[in-house]
Amino acid sequence: MSESESITSPLRHLADTLSRWSRDAELFWSHRIEQMMTLEQTRQAAKDIVVWLELHGRQKDAYEVDDAVTLVREAAQEFDYQARHAASYPPDDPQCRGKLERLLETTAEAVSRLNSVDDELPAGTFEGFEDA
Amino acid sequence: MHEQLIDVLESLLGKGDEPDAITISAEAWEQVRDLVKQVVVELEFHGHVTLAQRVDREYSTVKDHVAIGGVGETVRDFAALVLRDAVAELRSTILALSRFEQQVQTQAEPPAQVPASGAPRVLPERVAKVWQQYTIALQRGNWDHTPTDREAWDWCNYHLRLGAEMPNFLTWQRYLREARRFHGAQKNTPLSSKWFKYRMGG
């Protein structure tokens, strides 16, 4: 896939957004609320892609995208809840650190799954997506 | 219809001042139920069976989580986060349908994507694994009642010793829900609800 194509693919864009979001683990301690809000903003982008793929008969790919981003959200919810209810300072809380580790792993896996789906999609799948 | 449903779902989400609490009023819930039904019928009318199933599935997930606290009751703690997420998911699907409304109304659903080998539809591996764990828990656990999903997950977590391979409860329950649908073993079938009403004298 050429660079110009990769820029226009909403799936690639979503993968890049998630990848950038999880790049700096420290932000999850210092700006947890903002990090959660940023993740929430990707929900609609992901769902637009999922619905678009289903509209175009790509149910298997839609499932893959949906499952990958849902896993990230679930891991993020667990981390956020743990951080808000931690018995001690969250970065010092082993359970909290464990949840963050899992969140980062899940996000890395999701990025890879999204990129794989994008690689396999026929050219032109997202034609008209941005105009809608 | 989409806009109306989006508005009602937004009102359920509230302003988010209290993320660990959510109350679904009977009136709003009734509206959601009726509007979702209309959206599903509309999608089926235009030949979008998969999308209709998606809306129905996401609505069922919300319904399952509402049932935990009950309509009109306040759901708290982690259950509130999960319910809020389920409502937000349904809302974003309706928003997407609204965005692609023209395509929904003018193009019929293409044939479903099937594996190149032409193999029959199968459960994704992750979902199949969870179903296997659940059936092991049912068979080997010493239950005097049908275990709740949480009890079955706890059992698996303790007895199967899968470590990091074991999904967290939220994910595990979601996969279990998918597997139940696949195997036609939903917890809340119309039959079970009629039976429940009969038992309750309704």
Side-chain angles (χ1 to χ4, degrees):
Chain A
M1 180 178 279
S2 74
E3 199 165 327
S4 62
E5 272 176 313
S6 72
I7 289 166
T8 53
S9 160
L11 199 45
R12 190 69 61 166
H13 182 73
L14 177 64
D16 288 349
T17 308
L18 283 175
S19 176
R20 265 183 279 115
W21 174 75
S22 63
R23 201 165 289 159
D24 188 355
E26 275 311 305
L27 282 179
F28 287 88
W29 301 124
S30 59
H31 293 78
R32 184 175 46 79
I33 295 171
E34 290 83 350
Q35 285 291 86
M36 292 302 290
M37 280 164 69
T38 307
L39 181 63
E40 184 56 36
Q41 283 160 13
T42 64
R43 184 198 296 271
Q44 194 58 51
K47 195 47 76 74
D48 285 351
I49 293 169
V50 167
V51 168
W52 182 266
L53 289 174
E54 284 187 344
L55 260 172
H56 290 79
R58 312 285 311 176
Q59 285 84 0
K60 200 163 152 268
D61 296 321
Y63 176 84
E64 193 63 6
V65 174
D66 203 15
D67 186 54
V69 292
T70 304
L71 283 171
V72 174
R73 243 188 4 259
E74 285 169 348
Q77 275 173 1
E78 294 236 335
F79 162 71
D80 182 50
Y81 188 81
Q82 187 70 40
R84 280 192 287 127
H85 296 83
S88 58
Y89 179 55
D92 293 339
D93 183 289
Q95 265 194 307
C96 238
R97 297 197 77 86
K99 299 274 184 201
L100 179 58
E101 219 166 276
R102 189 145 186 172
L103 169 58
L104 298 179
E105 276 168 20
T106 308
T107 309
E109 200 191 324
V111 169
S112 150
R113 287 172 80 185
L114 297 181
N115 283 330
S116 296
V117 171
D118 196 56
D119 288 343
E120 298 297 322
L121 282 176
T125 300
F126 288 109
E127 219 164 88
F129 180 86
E130 293 302 334
D131 311 327
Chain B
M1 174 178 33
H2 289 159
E3 285 69 22
Q4 212 183 336
L5 182 51
I6 292 163
D7 286 348
V8 185
L9 291 170
E10 251 160 38
S11 75
L12 296 188
L13 288 169
K15 291 189 176 68
D17 336 331
E18 221 188 326
D20 290 358
I22 181 168
T23 311
I24 310 275
S25 75
E27 192 192 346
W29 184 240
E30 211 168 292
Q31 268 183 296
V32 170
R33 194 192 54 201
D34 293 348
L35 289 165
V36 163
K37 212 176 280 177
Q38 287 177 41
V39 171
V40 168
V41 168
E42 191 208 17
L43 285 169
E44 283 173 347
F45 175 78
H46 289 291
H48 295 289
V49 181
T50 315
L51 281 170
Q53 284 168 348
R54 165 172 294 283
V55 173
D56 191 45
R57 196 166 64 232
E58 291 180 357
Y59 165 72
S60 298
T61 306
V62 177
K63 196 168 81 173
D64 284 353
H65 292 300
V66 167
I68 294 171
V71 175
E73 300 296 322
T74 301
V75 179
R76 294 190 185 280
D77 297 322
F78 198 69
L81 289 187
V82 177
L83 172 56
R84 199 177 284 281
D85 188 73
V87 173
E89 272 297 278
L90 178 58
R91 176 183 162 273
S92 65
T93 294
I94 305 299
L95 271 169
L97 287 175
S98 172
R99 175 180 170 187
F100 303 129
E101 193 163 16
Q102 204 189 338
Q103 281 93 336
V104 170
Q105 288 183 357
T106 55
Q107 78 195 32
E109 185 174 299
Q113 186 187 12
V114 291
S117 63
R121 187 181 158 252
V122 289
L123 271 183
E125 200 188 324
R126 297 158 192 254
V127 180
K129 269 189 193 168
V130 165
W131 181 248
Q132 197 185 12
Q133 290 159 8
Y134 178 68
T135 48
I136 291 174
L138 284 187
Q139 286 160 6
R140 296 199 203 150
N142 188 20
W143 311 104
D144 57 3
H145 62 286
T146 306
T148 62
D149 293 351
R150 168 63 77 169
E151 285 169 335
W153 181 82
D154 282 341
W155 189 94
C156 292
N157 212 10
Y158 183 77
H159 292 277
L160 302 181
R161 302 193 182 281
L162 297 169
E165 257 187 68
M166 184 78 186
N168 63 37
F169 175 66
L170 215 53
T171 306
W172 194 84
Q173 193 185 34
R174 177 165 60 86
Y175 286 163
L176 184 58
R177 207 178 290 125
E178 271 178 51
R180 280 193 179 116
R181 259 193 307 271
F182 183 85
H183 293 292
Q186 280 100 324
K187 276 202 304 191
N188 303 312
T189 61
L191 185 64
S192 69
S193 122
K194 274 181 197 162
W195 178 84
F196 180 73
K197 277 183 192 157
Y198 168 71
R199 288 292 302 263
M200 299 300 284

